[in-house]
Amino acid sequence: MKTSILSYFSLLLVAVMFFSCEADTKAKLEGTWKVLQVPAGVYEEAWTFTDNAIILTRQNTGDTAVVFASGTYSIKNNTITTTGEGLAGAGADYYRGDFQIRSLDKTQMVLIRKDLGMQYYEFEKKQ
């Protein structure tokens, strides 16, 4: 009897920790992230994460930002999964798929994608 109660509480603790980690990741992720390009490109690209939507914009120097793709996202097992027809039209599924979160804090993020060849994305949080 003691063993089954202890096992139940252990599983409950693991479940609570797992879901709180995903909530913490989502809270850090929300906002606008500037894609760091090396060498610097002719435009600035930014990804904005809201509650469950992702909006991608591009901006030439001196111009206003233009939305070129949008869709939805979810987070599971330290992976961001992006979906939606609006992301497919932006570059033949280039922005739609699974992006592993390599690192994420309040100001910097690194994502890795392996299904279309190795892709590495570095971001800086915009204020």
Side-chain angles (χ1 to χ4, degrees), residues 50-74:
T50 63
D51 186 37
N52 67 347
I54 179 172
I55 302 163
L56 285 70
T57 59
R58 287 190 179 150
Q59 178 178 3
N60 290 326
T61 305
D63 291 342
T64 58
V66 175
V67 174
F68 72 93
S70 63
T72 60
Y73 76 95
S74 61

Side-chain angles (χ1 to χ4, degrees), residues 19 62 89 100 124:
F19 288 113
Q100 178 188 6
E124 173 180 78

Side-chain angles (χ1 to χ4, degrees), residues 47-106:
W47 297 15
T48 301
F49 294 89
T50 63
D51 186 37
N52 67 347
I54 179 172
I55 302 163
L56 285 70
T57 59
R58 287 190 179 150
Q59 178 178 3
N60 290 326
T61 305
D63 291 342
T64 58
V66 175
V67 174
F68 72 93
S70 63
T72 60
Y73 76 95
S74 61
I75 302 170
K76 187 173 184 179
N77 297 334
N78 213 32
T79 299
I80 300 169
T81 301
T82 59
T83 59
E85 291 303 315
L87 293 172
D93 290 332
Y94 184 73
Y95 295 99
R96 188 168 60 175
D98 296 328
F99 298 84
Q100 178 188 6
I101 301 172
R102 181 75 173 161
S103 67
L104 173 63
D105 62 31
K106 293 179 182 179

Side-chain angles (χ1 to χ4, degrees), residues 3-124:
T3 304
S4 65
I5 292 173
L6 185 58
S7 296
Y8 173 75
F9 283 117
S10 297
L11 286 173
L12 183 62
L13 179 64
V14 169
V16 168
M17 288 175 52
F18 177 74
F19 288 113
S20 68
C21 288
E22 284 187 9
D24 184 44
T25 299
K26 191 167 189 169
K28 286 181 187 175
L29 186 63
E30 288 184 351
T32 301
W33 296 86
K34 175 185 171 187
V35 178
L36 300 178
Q37 300 175 357
V38 177
V42 292
Y43 59 84
E44 180 180 297
E45 184 175 314
W47 297 15
T48 301
F49 294 89
T50 63
D51 186 37
N52 67 347
I54 179 172
I55 302 163
L56 285 70
T57 59
R58 287 190 179 150
Q59 178 178 3
N60 290 326
T61 305
D63 291 342
T64 58
V66 175
V67 174
F68 72 93
S70 63
T72 60
Y73 76 95
S74 61
I75 302 170
K76 187 173 184 179
N77 297 334
N78 213 32
T79 299
I80 300 169
T81 301
T82 59
T83 59
E85 291 303 315
L87 293 172
D93 290 332
Y94 184 73
Y95 295 99
R96 188 168 60 175
D98 296 328
F99 298 84
Q100 178 188 6
I101 301 172
R102 181 75 173 161
S103 67
L104 173 63
D105 62 31
K106 293 179 182 179
T107 60
Q108 297 179 349
M109 173 171 63
V110 175
L111 301 178
I112 295 176
R113 184 169 179 187
K114 298 177 184 175
D115 60 340
L116 296 174
M118 181 65 145
Q119 298 172 354
Y120 178 87
Y121 301 86
E122 258 186 88
F123 298 84
E124 173 180 78

